[in-house]
Amino acid sequence: MEALLDTRSHVPSASQRTADDVTARVVAHQWVNAEYKHLVLDAPEPAPLAQAGQFFHLECPQAGEDRPFFRRPMSVYKADPGKGQVEFLYKVTGAGTRGLATLRVGDTMRILGPLGVGFTLDESWKNIVVLGRGVGLATLAPLAEMAAANGVGVTAIFSARGPEQVMSTERFAKTGARIEIVLDSDGSSAVENVERLLRRIAREGKTGAFFTCGSDRLMLLMQRLGRELGIRGEVALEQQMACGIGMCFCCVRNFRSGNEVVSRRVCWDGPVFRLDEAMSW
Ligand SMILES: Cc1cc2nc3c(=O)[nH]c(=O)nc-3n(C[C@H](O)[C@H](O)[C@H](O)COP(=O)(O)OP(=O)(O)OC[C@H]3O[C@@H](n4cnc5c(N)ncnc54)[C@H](O)[C@@H]3O)c2cc1C
Ligand code: FES
């Protein structure tokens, strides 16, 4: 089926969005484990006003042979308007993030944001389940805090290769979230096992809504169960980006909308989308 460009106004217009390209200063930058770094920036408004699920386009320094041309998108891991800070948790994977990893305390960098459409919480949801794989949990951590602040109970399922890759548990624990960890190393992250876990949580009446980030197969699982059990939800998608602001169409993905397949820009229409409309690669 041919995909149509989705031009319906289901997302905030440009004039309703507040984003700016600002200079931020590194106040802390540490390795969390062998692959991930935690970056804390002092940044002027509107950066610290970022909402859960929104992202920034980060300028990445050149380092050695690495010459990252485009900025790199990163979800906001924490935004604190009181302190005037934004935080990121990122995996060092290629030229951009290798450059990012060289930043030292006191260095400055340009950050554009907050960008995109974040998570929503429906008043009728008394309990939610967040299911994250790898760094997907960085995206879901502010959602858990937003839910807790609104009196919504959270069950957080962490999926990771092994215990070393499990991060942010303390942040989720502070919200009072119930935490379940599933790992590749002991086989517990297998889809069938996560499905059993989700069904158990549903039987306990704790699945007002599903939220997920970081894994296609886990998104498909939540989508299937959501359809079967009548549970709505949202997914934060990742896609390579160039402009980050809706101009270049390099981040387009297909979505199911009624009987149509439509194309949407992950940077502008998302990165958070309705779970039932997302399509896997
Ligand atoms: C909205 C959004 C939020 C994100 N939030 C985070 C975050 O909080 N923490 C984090 O660690 N990462 C996050 N990412 C992914 C991050 O942007 C990429 O890992 C980063 O751009 C890689 O850049 P690089 O130059 O280091 O690697 P590259 O050399 O560009 O790529 C290294 C490898 O990763 C693949 N890749 C690059 N970008 C993406 C992408 N966007 N999605 C899937 N595969 C990709 C490439 O195909 C290649 O195989 C996010 C992406 C998006 C779109
Ligand atoms: S990255 Fe340019 S339109 Fe999304």
Side-chain angles (χ1 to χ4, degrees), residues 25-28 39-50 56 76 78-88 111:
R25 183 176 299 277
V26 178
V27 291
L39 175 65
V40 184
L41 302 175
D42 270 344
E45 288 194 6
L49 303 175
F56 285 81
V76 59
K78 188 167 190 164
D80 188 334
K83 287 186 179 167
Q85 291 184 343
V86 280
E87 302 183 21
F88 302 92
I111 66 170

Side-chain angles (χ1 to χ4, degrees), residues 36 55 68 72-75 89-98 135 138-139 237-241 266 271:
Y36 289 87
F55 73 97
R72 299 297 196 261
M74 287 294 159
S75 299
L89 182 67
Y90 68 93
K91 184 175 181 179
V92 180
T93 44
T97 46
R98 275 198 300 267
V135 82
T139 309
L237 295 176
E238 288 189 5
Q239 187 79 349
Q240 276 181 301
M241 294 182 179
V266 172

Side-chain angles (χ1 to χ4, degrees), residues 1 36 42 138 191 198 244 276:
M1 192 188 298
Y36 289 87
D42 270 344
V191 170
L198 286 170
D276 60 337

Side-chain angles (χ1 to χ4, degrees), residues 136-150:
L137 281 154
T139 309
L140 295 168
L143 167 67
E145 284 168 354
M146 178 169 83
N150 285 283

Side-chain angles (χ1 to χ4, degrees), residues 57 240-252 265-268:
H57 225 16
Q240 276 181 301
M241 294 182 179
C243 73
I245 51 172
M247 306 293 286
C248 71
F249 287 76
C250 99
C251 63
V252 162
R265 291 159 291 179
V266 172
C267 73
W268 185 259

Side-chain angles (χ1 to χ4, degrees), residues 8 11 22 58 66 81 85 92 96 108 130 137 190 199 230 264:
R8 276 160 289 189
V11 294
V22 297
L58 305 183
D66 294 326
Q85 291 184 343
V92 180
T108 57
V130 303
L137 281 154
R199 285 187 185 279
R264 293 178 182 149

Side-chain angles (χ1 to χ4, degrees), residues 82-193:
K83 287 186 179 167
Q85 291 184 343
V86 280
E87 302 183 21
F88 302 92
L89 182 67
Y90 68 93
K91 184 175 181 179
V92 180
T93 44
T97 46
R98 275 198 300 267
L100 211 54
T102 64
L103 285 167
R104 289 175 303 185
V105 171
D107 287 349
T108 57
M109 63 186 289
R110 301 288 290 177
I111 66 170
L112 171 64
L115 298 171
V117 180
F119 294 107
T120 49
L121 281 179
D122 187 296
E123 276 178 12
S124 66
W125 298 337
K126 302 295 174 231
N127 292 280
I128 61 168
V129 180
V130 303
L131 170 59
R133 169 88 181 165
V135 82
L137 281 154
T139 309
L140 295 168
L143 167 67
E145 284 168 354
M146 178 169 83
N150 285 283
V152 177
V154 178
T155 302
I157 307 176
F158 290 61
S159 173
R161 291 205 310 277
E164 323 73 54
Q165 284 83 34
V166 178
M167 295 167 289
S168 307
T169 42
E170 327 73 52
R171 256 190 85 192
F172 281 83
K174 269 193 206 152
T175 69
R178 161 179 162 188
I179 294 172
E180 305 276 355
I181 295 172
V182 295
L183 304 173
D184 299 354
S185 53
D186 63 11
S188 56
S189 65
V191 170
E192 315 80 68
N193 190 54

